[in-house]
Amino acid sequence: MELVSMKRLVSLLMALALLCGLSSCSADERAERLSAGWTEALLTAPGVIDARSSYHITLGMSQGGMVQITMQPGDRTPEEVMANSMRALAPLLIKNGRRSAGLNYSLVVEGSETLVYPEILGIDSRPSLQTIINYAAENPAP
């Protein structure tokens, strides 16, 4: 390969590496903003006393995340708190373009080792964003 072609190739590879690096940075920042908004929304749900969420975006590949909420025992039933949390989260999920992304979603009853999953509401234990949106639409707050 001649020297000029080699320089062009190296320049092209460096530009691609820079572009990929910048894109993943913005994807990470977007995922962090989404997650922070989710946590804030979850904390407004009746019965939720603590919430954690995370989201990841792998450009061109996958998206997904985790939601874990905590409730106090005796306040409300786990079903009520799980449903309330999904209703609080749904409006933010509508804005997400990748509604097929799944979430590991769980509820912890404070002071116990009990984990409750969305199956308690009759939906998958790892619901898609669209499933949560649908659930909230079909089951409005009483």
Side-chain angles (χ1 to χ4, degrees), residues 6-54:
M6 218 30 182
K7 285 183 179 180
R8 284 185 186 159
L9 180 61
V10 168
S11 295
L12 178 63
L13 290 174
M14 288 177 64
L16 284 173
L18 178 63
L19 181 61
C20 289
L22 291 174
S23 297
S24 67
C25 181
S26 64
D28 289 344
E29 289 171 1
R30 180 171 179 255
E32 285 179 32
R33 283 192 310 274
L34 285 170
S35 178
W38 292 1
T39 299
E40 189 176 315
L42 290 163
L43 289 170
T44 68
V48 174
I49 61 168
D50 192 28
R52 295 182 314 134
S53 67
S54 65

Short mmCIF file of all heavy atoms in Angstrom, two decimals, residues 6-54:
data_model
loop_
_atom_site.label_atom_id
_atom_site.label_comp_id
_atom_site.label_asym_id
_atom_site.label_seq_id
_atom_site.Cartn_x
_atom_site.Cartn_y
_atom_site.Cartn_z
N MET A 6 -2.14 4.85 3.00
CA MET A 6 -2.00 4.43 4.39
C MET A 6 -2.39 5.57 5.32
O MET A 6 -3.10 5.37 6.31
CB MET A 6 -0.56 4.03 4.61
CG MET A 6 -0.25 2.88 5.47
SD MET A 6 -1.39 1.58 5.56
CE MET A 6 -0.46 0.69 6.71
N LYS A 7 -1.95 6.80 5.01
CA LYS A 7 -2.29 7.96 5.83
C LYS A 7 -3.79 8.21 5.81
O LYS A 7 -4.38 8.53 6.84
CB LYS A 7 -1.54 9.21 5.33
CG LYS A 7 -0.08 9.23 5.70
CD LYS A 7 0.56 10.53 5.23
CE LYS A 7 2.02 10.58 5.61
NZ LYS A 7 2.65 11.82 5.16
N ARG A 8 -4.40 8.07 4.65
CA ARG A 8 -5.86 8.24 4.55
C ARG A 8 -6.59 7.20 5.39
O ARG A 8 -7.55 7.51 6.08
CB ARG A 8 -6.32 8.15 3.10
CG ARG A 8 -6.01 9.36 2.30
CD ARG A 8 -6.59 9.25 0.92
NE ARG A 8 -6.18 10.38 0.12
CZ ARG A 8 -6.18 10.39 -1.18
NH1 ARG A 8 -6.59 9.32 -1.85
NH2 ARG A 8 -5.78 11.45 -1.84
N LEU A 9 -6.12 5.98 5.31
CA LEU A 9 -6.74 4.90 6.07
C LEU A 9 -6.63 5.16 7.58
O LEU A 9 -7.60 5.02 8.32
CB LEU A 9 -6.11 3.56 5.70
CG LEU A 9 -6.65 2.33 6.42
CD1 LEU A 9 -8.14 2.15 6.12
CD2 LEU A 9 -5.88 1.10 6.03
N VAL A 10 -5.45 5.55 8.02
CA VAL A 10 -5.24 5.84 9.44
C VAL A 10 -6.12 7.02 9.87
O VAL A 10 -6.76 7.00 10.92
CB VAL A 10 -3.75 6.12 9.73
CG1 VAL A 10 -3.56 6.69 11.13
CG2 VAL A 10 -2.94 4.84 9.56
N SER A 11 -6.19 8.06 9.03
CA SER A 11 -7.03 9.22 9.35
C SER A 11 -8.50 8.82 9.43
O SER A 11 -9.23 9.25 10.33
CB SER A 11 -6.87 10.31 8.29
OG SER A 11 -5.57 10.83 8.30
N LEU A 12 -8.94 8.00 8.52
CA LEU A 12 -10.32 7.53 8.52
C LEU A 12 -10.62 6.70 9.76
O LEU A 12 -11.65 6.90 10.42
CB LEU A 12 -10.61 6.71 7.26
CG LEU A 12 -12.02 6.12 7.14
CD1 LEU A 12 -13.06 7.24 7.09
CD2 LEU A 12 -12.12 5.24 5.92
N LEU A 13 -9.72 5.81 10.12
CA LEU A 13 -9.92 4.99 11.32
C LEU A 13 -9.94 5.84 12.58
O LEU A 13 -10.76 5.60 13.49
CB LEU A 13 -8.84 3.92 11.41
CG LEU A 13 -8.92 2.81 10.38
CD1 LEU A 13 -7.71 1.89 10.48
CD2 LEU A 13 -10.21 2.03 10.52
N MET A 14 -9.10 6.85 12.66
CA MET A 14 -9.09 7.73 13.82
C MET A 14 -10.39 8.53 13.90
O MET A 14 -10.95 8.71 14.98
CB MET A 14 -7.87 8.67 13.77
CG MET A 14 -6.57 7.94 14.06
SD MET A 14 -5.10 8.97 13.94
CE MET A 14 -5.39 10.13 15.24
N ALA A 15 -10.89 9.00 12.77
CA ALA A 15 -12.15 9.74 12.75
C ALA A 15 -13.31 8.85 13.19
O ALA A 15 -14.18 9.27 13.96
CB ALA A 15 -12.41 10.31 11.36
N LEU A 16 -13.32 7.62 12.72
CA LEU A 16 -14.37 6.68 13.13
C LEU A 16 -14.30 6.38 14.63
O LEU A 16 -15.32 6.30 15.30
CB LEU A 16 -14.27 5.38 12.32
CG LEU A 16 -14.77 5.45 10.89
CD1 LEU A 16 -14.44 4.16 10.16
CD2 LEU A 16 -16.25 5.73 10.84
N ALA A 17 -13.10 6.20 15.14
CA ALA A 17 -12.93 5.93 16.58
C ALA A 17 -13.43 7.12 17.40
O ALA A 17 -14.10 6.95 18.42
CB ALA A 17 -11.47 5.63 16.90
N LEU A 18 -13.11 8.33 16.95
CA LEU A 18 -13.58 9.52 17.65
C LEU A 18 -15.10 9.62 17.61
O LEU A 18 -15.75 9.88 18.62
CB LEU A 18 -12.94 10.78 17.04
CG LEU A 18 -13.38 12.11 17.64
CD1 LEU A 18 -12.95 12.18 19.10
CD2 LEU A 18 -12.78 13.26 16.86
N LEU A 19 -15.67 9.38 16.45
CA LEU A 19 -17.13 9.43 16.31
C LEU A 19 -17.80 8.39 17.18
O LEU A 19 -18.78 8.68 17.87
CB LEU A 19 -17.52 9.22 14.84
CG LEU A 19 -19.00 9.27 14.52
CD1 LEU A 19 -19.57 10.64 14.88
CD2 LEU A 19 -19.23 8.97 13.06
N CYS A 20 -17.28 7.19 17.20
CA CYS A 20 -17.85 6.14 18.05
C CYS A 20 -17.73 6.50 19.52
O CYS A 20 -18.66 6.30 20.30
CB CYS A 20 -17.16 4.80 17.80
SG CYS A 20 -17.56 4.09 16.21
N GLY A 21 -16.61 7.06 19.90
CA GLY A 21 -16.42 7.47 21.29
C GLY A 21 -17.40 8.56 21.68
O GLY A 21 -17.99 8.53 22.76
N LEU A 22 -17.60 9.54 20.82
CA LEU A 22 -18.54 10.62 21.12
C LEU A 22 -19.98 10.11 21.18
O LEU A 22 -20.77 10.52 22.01
CB LEU A 22 -18.43 11.73 20.08
CG LEU A 22 -17.13 12.54 20.09
CD1 LEU A 22 -17.10 13.51 18.91
CD2 LEU A 22 -16.97 13.28 21.41
N SER A 23 -20.33 9.20 20.31
CA SER A 23 -21.69 8.66 20.28
C SER A 23 -21.99 7.88 21.54
O SER A 23 -23.06 8.01 22.12
CB SER A 23 -21.87 7.74 19.07
OG SER A 23 -21.73 8.47 17.88
N SER A 24 -21.05 7.04 22.00
CA SER A 24 -21.31 6.25 23.20
C SER A 24 -21.39 7.15 24.42
O SER A 24 -22.15 6.90 25.34
CB SER A 24 -20.27 5.16 23.38
OG SER A 24 -19.01 5.72 23.67
N CYS A 25 -20.62 8.22 24.41
CA CYS A 25 -20.69 9.16 25.52
C CYS A 25 -22.08 9.79 25.59
O CYS A 25 -22.68 9.86 26.64
CB CYS A 25 -19.62 10.23 25.36
SG CYS A 25 -19.61 11.42 26.70
N SER A 26 -22.59 10.20 24.46
CA SER A 26 -23.92 10.81 24.47
C SER A 26 -24.99 9.77 24.81
O SER A 26 -25.97 10.10 25.45
CB SER A 26 -24.21 11.50 23.14
OG SER A 26 -24.26 10.57 22.09
N ALA A 27 -24.79 8.54 24.40
CA ALA A 27 -25.74 7.48 24.75
C ALA A 27 -25.71 7.23 26.26
O ALA A 27 -26.76 7.07 26.89
CB ALA A 27 -25.42 6.19 24.00
N ASP A 28 -24.52 7.23 26.85
CA ASP A 28 -24.40 7.05 28.30
C ASP A 28 -25.06 8.21 29.04
O ASP A 28 -25.76 8.00 30.03
CB ASP A 28 -22.93 6.95 28.72
CG ASP A 28 -22.27 5.65 28.28
OD1 ASP A 28 -23.00 4.70 27.93
OD2 ASP A 28 -21.03 5.60 28.28
N GLU A 29 -24.84 9.42 28.55
CA GLU A 29 -25.46 10.59 29.19
C GLU A 29 -26.98 10.52 29.08
O GLU A 29 -27.70 10.82 30.03
CB GLU A 29 -24.94 11.88 28.55
CG GLU A 29 -23.50 12.18 28.91
CD GLU A 29 -22.92 13.32 28.10
OE1 GLU A 29 -23.64 13.91 27.26
OE2 GLU A 29 -21.74 13.64 28.32
N ARG A 30 -27.48 10.12 27.93
CA ARG A 30 -28.93 9.99 27.73
C ARG A 30 -29.49 8.93 28.68
O ARG A 30 -30.54 9.13 29.31
CB ARG A 30 -29.25 9.62 26.29
CG ARG A 30 -30.73 9.48 26.03
CD ARG A 30 -31.05 9.33 24.55
NE ARG A 30 -32.47 9.17 24.38
CZ ARG A 30 -33.05 8.01 24.11
NH1 ARG A 30 -32.34 6.92 23.93
NH2 ARG A 30 -34.37 7.93 23.98
N ALA A 31 -28.81 7.82 28.79
CA ALA A 31 -29.26 6.74 29.68
C ALA A 31 -29.28 7.22 31.14
O ALA A 31 -30.22 6.92 31.88
CB ALA A 31 -28.36 5.52 29.53
N GLU A 32 -28.28 7.97 31.53
CA GLU A 32 -28.25 8.51 32.90
C GLU A 32 -29.39 9.48 33.15
O GLU A 32 -30.01 9.46 34.22
CB GLU A 32 -26.90 9.19 33.17
CG GLU A 32 -25.77 8.22 33.40
CD GLU A 32 -24.44 8.92 33.64
OE1 GLU A 32 -24.44 10.03 34.21
OE2 GLU A 32 -23.41 8.35 33.26
N ARG A 33 -29.68 10.34 32.17
CA ARG A 33 -30.81 11.28 32.32
C ARG A 33 -32.14 10.54 32.43
O ARG A 33 -32.98 10.88 33.25
CB ARG A 33 -30.85 12.27 31.15
CG ARG A 33 -29.82 13.38 31.24
CD ARG A 33 -30.09 14.49 30.23
NE ARG A 33 -30.31 14.05 28.87
CZ ARG A 33 -29.37 13.82 27.96
NH1 ARG A 33 -28.10 14.00 28.27
NH2 ARG A 33 -29.68 13.43 26.74
N LEU A 34 -32.32 9.53 31.57
CA LEU A 34 -33.55 8.73 31.64
C LEU A 34 -33.70 8.08 33.01
O LEU A 34 -34.76 8.15 33.63
CB LEU A 34 -33.54 7.64 30.56
CG LEU A 34 -33.80 8.07 29.12
CD1 LEU A 34 -33.52 6.91 28.17
CD2 LEU A 34 -35.22 8.55 28.96
N SER A 35 -32.64 7.47 33.47
CA SER A 35 -32.65 6.77 34.75
C SER A 35 -32.96 7.73 35.90
O SER A 35 -33.76 7.41 36.78
CB SER A 35 -31.31 6.08 34.97
OG SER A 35 -31.29 5.45 36.21
N ALA A 36 -32.35 8.89 35.90
CA ALA A 36 -32.60 9.87 36.96
C ALA A 36 -34.06 10.31 36.95
O ALA A 36 -34.69 10.42 38.01
CB ALA A 36 -31.68 11.07 36.80
N GLY A 37 -34.62 10.52 35.77
CA GLY A 37 -36.03 10.88 35.67
C GLY A 37 -36.95 9.78 36.15
O GLY A 37 -37.96 10.03 36.81
N TRP A 38 -36.58 8.54 35.83
CA TRP A 38 -37.39 7.41 36.28
C TRP A 38 -37.40 7.33 37.80
O TRP A 38 -38.45 7.15 38.40
CB TRP A 38 -36.85 6.11 35.72
CG TRP A 38 -36.99 5.93 34.25
CD1 TRP A 38 -37.54 6.81 33.34
CD2 TRP A 38 -36.57 4.80 33.50
NE1 TRP A 38 -37.47 6.29 32.08
CE2 TRP A 38 -36.88 5.06 32.14
CE3 TRP A 38 -35.94 3.62 33.83
CZ2 TRP A 38 -36.61 4.15 31.13
CZ3 TRP A 38 -35.66 2.71 32.82
CH2 TRP A 38 -36.00 2.98 31.48
N THR A 39 -36.22 7.44 38.40
CA THR A 39 -36.13 7.35 39.86
C THR A 39 -36.97 8.44 40.51
O THR A 39 -37.72 8.18 41.45
CB THR A 39 -34.66 7.44 40.32
OG1 THR A 39 -33.94 6.35 39.74
CG2 THR A 39 -34.54 7.39 41.83
N GLU A 40 -36.89 9.64 39.98
CA GLU A 40 -37.67 10.75 40.51
C GLU A 40 -39.17 10.47 40.40
O GLU A 40 -39.93 10.68 41.35
CB GLU A 40 -37.31 12.03 39.75
CG GLU A 40 -37.88 13.29 40.34
CD GLU A 40 -37.40 14.51 39.59
OE1 GLU A 40 -36.19 14.61 39.29
OE2 GLU A 40 -38.26 15.38 39.31
N ALA A 41 -39.61 9.96 39.27
CA ALA A 41 -41.03 9.64 39.07
C ALA A 41 -41.48 8.52 40.01
O ALA A 41 -42.57 8.57 40.58
CB ALA A 41 -41.29 9.26 37.62
N LEU A 42 -40.65 7.50 40.15
CA LEU A 42 -41.00 6.37 41.02
C LEU A 42 -41.19 6.81 42.47
O LEU A 42 -42.06 6.29 43.17
CB LEU A 42 -39.92 5.29 40.93
CG LEU A 42 -39.86 4.53 39.61
CD1 LEU A 42 -38.54 3.80 39.47
CD2 LEU A 42 -41.04 3.58 39.48
N LEU A 43 -40.39 7.77 42.91
CA LEU A 43 -40.49 8.24 44.29
C LEU A 43 -41.78 9.01 44.56
O LEU A 43 -42.13 9.22 45.72
CB LEU A 43 -39.26 9.08 44.65
CG LEU A 43 -37.97 8.29 44.80
CD1 LEU A 43 -36.77 9.22 44.91
CD2 LEU A 43 -38.03 7.33 45.98
N THR A 44 -42.49 9.39 43.51
CA THR A 44 -43.78 10.07 43.69
C THR A 44 -44.94 9.08 43.78
O THR A 44 -46.05 9.48 44.13
CB THR A 44 -44.08 11.04 42.53
OG1 THR A 44 -44.30 10.31 41.32
CG2 THR A 44 -42.96 12.06 42.35
N ALA A 45 -44.69 7.82 43.49
CA ALA A 45 -45.75 6.81 43.50
C ALA A 45 -46.17 6.50 44.94
O ALA A 45 -45.32 6.26 45.80
CB ALA A 45 -45.28 5.54 42.81
N PRO A 46 -47.47 6.50 45.21
CA PRO A 46 -47.94 6.17 46.56
C PRO A 46 -47.43 4.80 47.03
O PRO A 46 -47.54 3.82 46.32
CB PRO A 46 -49.47 6.16 46.41
CG PRO A 46 -49.74 7.05 45.24
CD PRO A 46 -48.58 6.82 44.31
N GLY A 47 -46.83 4.79 48.21
CA GLY A 47 -46.32 3.56 48.80
C GLY A 47 -44.85 3.30 48.55
O GLY A 47 -44.25 2.47 49.22
N VAL A 48 -44.24 4.00 47.59
CA VAL A 48 -42.82 3.81 47.30
C VAL A 48 -42.01 4.68 48.25
O VAL A 48 -42.19 5.90 48.28
CB VAL A 48 -42.49 4.16 45.83
CG1 VAL A 48 -40.99 4.10 45.59
CG2 VAL A 48 -43.22 3.21 44.88
N ILE A 49 -41.13 4.05 49.03
CA ILE A 49 -40.30 4.83 49.96
C ILE A 49 -38.86 4.97 49.48
O ILE A 49 -38.11 5.81 49.97
CB ILE A 49 -40.33 4.25 51.40
CG1 ILE A 49 -39.78 2.82 51.42
CG2 ILE A 49 -41.74 4.32 51.97
CD1 ILE A 49 -39.51 2.28 52.80
N ASP A 50 -38.46 4.15 48.51
CA ASP A 50 -37.13 4.25 47.93
C ASP A 50 -37.20 3.66 46.52
O ASP A 50 -38.03 2.79 46.24
CB ASP A 50 -36.10 3.49 48.77
CG ASP A 50 -34.67 3.80 48.36
OD1 ASP A 50 -34.42 4.91 47.85
OD2 ASP A 50 -33.80 2.93 48.56
N ALA A 51 -36.33 4.17 45.65
CA ALA A 51 -36.32 3.67 44.27
C ALA A 51 -34.92 3.78 43.70
O ALA A 51 -34.17 4.70 44.03
CB ALA A 51 -37.29 4.48 43.42
N ARG A 52 -34.59 2.81 42.88
CA ARG A 52 -33.33 2.81 42.12
C ARG A 52 -33.68 2.40 40.70
O ARG A 52 -34.52 1.52 40.49
CB ARG A 52 -32.33 1.79 42.67
CG ARG A 52 -31.83 2.06 44.04
CD ARG A 52 -30.78 1.04 44.51
NE ARG A 52 -31.14 -0.34 44.23
CZ ARG A 52 -30.31 -1.25 43.70
NH1 ARG A 52 -29.09 -0.94 43.38
NH2 ARG A 52 -30.70 -2.48 43.50
N SER A 53 -33.04 3.03 39.76
CA SER A 53 -33.22 2.60 38.38
C SER A 53 -31.94 2.83 37.60
O SER A 53 -31.12 3.68 37.97
CB SER A 53 -34.38 3.36 37.72
OG SER A 53 -34.07 4.72 37.58
N SER A 54 -31.78 2.07 36.56
CA SER A 54 -30.65 2.27 35.65
C SER A 54 -31.12 1.88 34.26
O SER A 54 -32.06 1.11 34.10
CB SER A 54 -29.44 1.45 36.07
OG SER A 54 -29.71 0.07 35.96
#
